[in-house]
Amino acid sequence: MYSLIVFLPLLGAVIAGLLSLSNRDRAAEIVTVSGLLLSLLFSIIAFANVAIGGQPETVNLARWISSGSFVANWSLRFDTLTAVMLIVVTGVSSMVHIYSIGYMSHDNARARFMAYLSLFTFAMLMLVTADNLVQMFFGWEGVGVASYLLIGFWYKKDSAHSAAMKAFVVNRVGDFGFALGILAVYALFGSVQFDVIFAQSSVIAATDINFLGYRLPALEVAGILLFIGAMGKSAQLGLHTWLPDAMEGPTPVSALIHAATMVTAGVFMICRLSPMLEYAPFALDVITVIGALTAIFAATVGMTQFDIKRVIAYSTCSQLGYMFFAAGVSAYPAAMFHLTTHAFFKALLFLGAGSVIHALSDEQDLRNMGGIWKKVPVTYAMMWIGSLALAGFPFFAGYYSKDMILEAAYAAQSGVGSMAFWLGCLAAFLTAFYSWRLLIMAFHGAPRASAQVMSHVHESPKVMTLPLLVLAIGAVFAGWLGYELFVGHDMKQFWGASIFILPTNTAMEDAHHVPSWVKLLPIVLASSGVALAVLLYAYWTSMPARIAAIFRPVYLLFYNKWYFDELYDAIFVSPAVRFGAYLWKRGDRDTIDGFGPDGMSAFIYRLSGMCSRVQTGFVFHYAFAMLIGVVVLVSWYYLRFKGA
C-alpha cells in the first residue's frame, strides 16, 4: 500500500501520456484522477497508522547506487513528517486534477496536461518519502522538470516558454548549492542516509571544514549550502524572481506548484534536516533572517500588483517566509503546521482566482474586473473564506498556524527572532490589506469589464466548484483540528523522532506563554489592514492613485518588485548574453567553423571552381594546353640531357 501512494501517480502519468498520442482526453482524465484519489485514500490510511498510531515504516525497494564506499538505496521513508506531507500533496493535487477537468475543458491537449500534473505529483511524493539526500535530490530535480513542463504548457506563447526557462534556470542556481551541500554532508559523514547523518550530527558539530580556503564550522557550511537549495525551490529573497513569471502557466498549475507542493519542498527539507541543523545555530540565524526579509518584501510587492494571480503568488512567497523563520527559531512544528493550513487556503485562493478568470473570459487584470459578486456567489464565498484564513482571522486555519509562528519568534528571545516577529507583524497587516484589495477590486464596485464580457459572466461548473468546497473545509477546520497535534500538548508524541529540537531551544514551548498583547497584535493588525483596504478601495476610491503619486518612488519600488529583475538583468543576464554572442560569432562561427568544416568546404569550393574554369570545352584551348605541354616536355628533356 505504501508504495502505491508514490507510484500510482507515475502510472497515471505514463498512461495519460500514451493516451495523449491518440487525443483520448477523457480517458486520460479518468485515469489520472482515479490514481490521485486512490493515492489520497492510501495517504489517509498511512497518516492514521504512522502519525496517529505511531508506527513509522521504511519500505526498501532496491539498491540504487553502489560505488566504492558510497551506497544509496531506493527506500521510502514513512514517518510523521512524511505522513503530513502525503496528506498535503495528494489532497491538494487530487483537487487540482478534478478542477482541471473543467478549467481545461476547451484545451486541445488535456491528456498531456493531466500527464504532466501526475508526473509532478509523483516527483513530489518521491521527494517527501526520500530516505537519503540523493533520493531527495532525484525528487527535487523531478519537480523542477515537471514544473518547467507545466509552466510552459502553452508553449506557443513567448511569455510562457520564457517563464518556464526562467524558473528552470533560477532553480538550477539553488540546486547547485543543494548539490554542494550533499557533497559536503557526504564528506563529513561518509553517508547520505538520513539516519546515519542524524546519529552523528552532535559529534560532527565540533568539526571544521576547509571551504574556499577558510577553516569553517562544517555543519554551518553544509547547512547554509542546503538552505540555498531551499531558497531556490521556495522562492526566498534573492532566488524568488521566477515565481511571478510562473503565473504564465494555467491556473491549476499555479495552485499545485505555488500553494502546497513545489514551493513548500524547501520548508520540508529544512524540517527534515532538523537533527543536523540544530547543531548549526548560525545557519538557523541565516534562515531566520532570509525568511523574515522575504515575508515583508513579498508583502510590499503584493499590495501594488494588478494581476490577480501575481498578487496571490507574492502572498505565497510571503507566507513561505513565515515558515522559514519559524524553522530558523527551531519552531519546526509551527512551520509544518502553517505549511499544512496554508496548502488548503492558498490552493483555494488560486483555484478561486481561476474561477474568476474563467467567468471573465480569461481576464486577469484587477483593473478590468468588479461588480460580479452576485453572478458568481460560490466563487465569491470561497474567496472570502480563503482570504480570512490567509489574513489570520480567528477560527480560520491561518489564525492558528500563523499566530503560532509569530509567538514562537517572539518567544525565541533573540535578535533575529525579534526582527522576524516585528517584520512578520508588519507583513500580517499588509497581507490583510492586499487580500481585501483583491476582493474589492475583483468582485465589488462598478463593472470595469466590457459589456460583452459582463454578459457572459457565469458561475463555474460543479467540477470546478466542488474542489473549492473541499479546500474551503480545510481552510476553516484544519487549524482547529490540527492545533493540539501539531503545536499543542500532544506535539512531542505526534512528531516523535521525525523532528528534533535541542533542549536549549525552547521557543516552541515558550510560545504558549507569551504576553497577551503578542497574541492579540496580529489580529489587531489584520483587522486594521482590512479596514484600510475597504476605506481606500470601496469608499475613497481616488485615494490609492493620489497616494501612489505622492509616494511615487516608493510605489515604483514596490510595483517593480524592488527592481530585482532589472538588477539581475544588468549584472548577469545581459553580460551573459553578450559573452555568449561573442563566443558564438568569434569562437564558434569564425574560429571553429571558419577553420573547420566551413573553412575546408570553402577551400574545396574555390579549388573546384578554379579547376572547372580550366575545363572550358573549346578545342583550341585544349590544343594550346597540349602545345604548352610539349614545349615544357622538350625543354625539360633538352636541359637534362644537354650536359650528358
Side-chain angles (χ1 to χ4, degrees), residues 18-77:
L18 294 174
L19 291 172
S20 70
L21 299 177
S22 54
N23 295 320
R24 298 175 64 185
D25 296 329
R26 181 61 67 191
E29 290 169 347
I30 293 172
V31 168
T32 52
V33 170
S34 300
L36 258 296
L37 289 175
L38 281 173
S39 187
L40 172 60
L41 175 62
F42 294 149
S43 295
I44 294 171
I45 297 172
F47 182 84
N49 293 338
V50 174
I52 306 299
Q55 300 174 7
E57 187 169 338
T58 299
V59 179
N60 294 311
L61 299 178
R63 175 66 59 87
W64 186 19
I65 302 173
S66 180
S67 177
S69 61
F70 177 77
V71 175
N73 292 322
W74 196 280
S75 303
L76 304 179
R77 182 189 186 98

Side-chain angles (χ1 to χ4, degrees), residues 394-405:
F395 313 117
F396 288 85
Y399 164 72
Y400 296 93
S401 57
K402 187 161 70 172
D403 281 24
M404 177 53 68
I405 288 177

Side-chain angles (χ1 to χ4, degrees), residues 7 20 26 51 59 101 114 127 160 166 192 226 298 309 317 329 359 381 384 392 414 508 527 575 590 622:
F7 290 105
S20 70
R26 181 61 67 191
V59 179
I101 294 174
M114 301 303 282
L127 189 158
K166 184 176 183 179
V192 292
L226 292 169
K309 288 171 62 176
C317 188
V329 297
W384 259 91
S414 63
M508 200 66 239
S527 302
D590 295 350
Y622 300 148

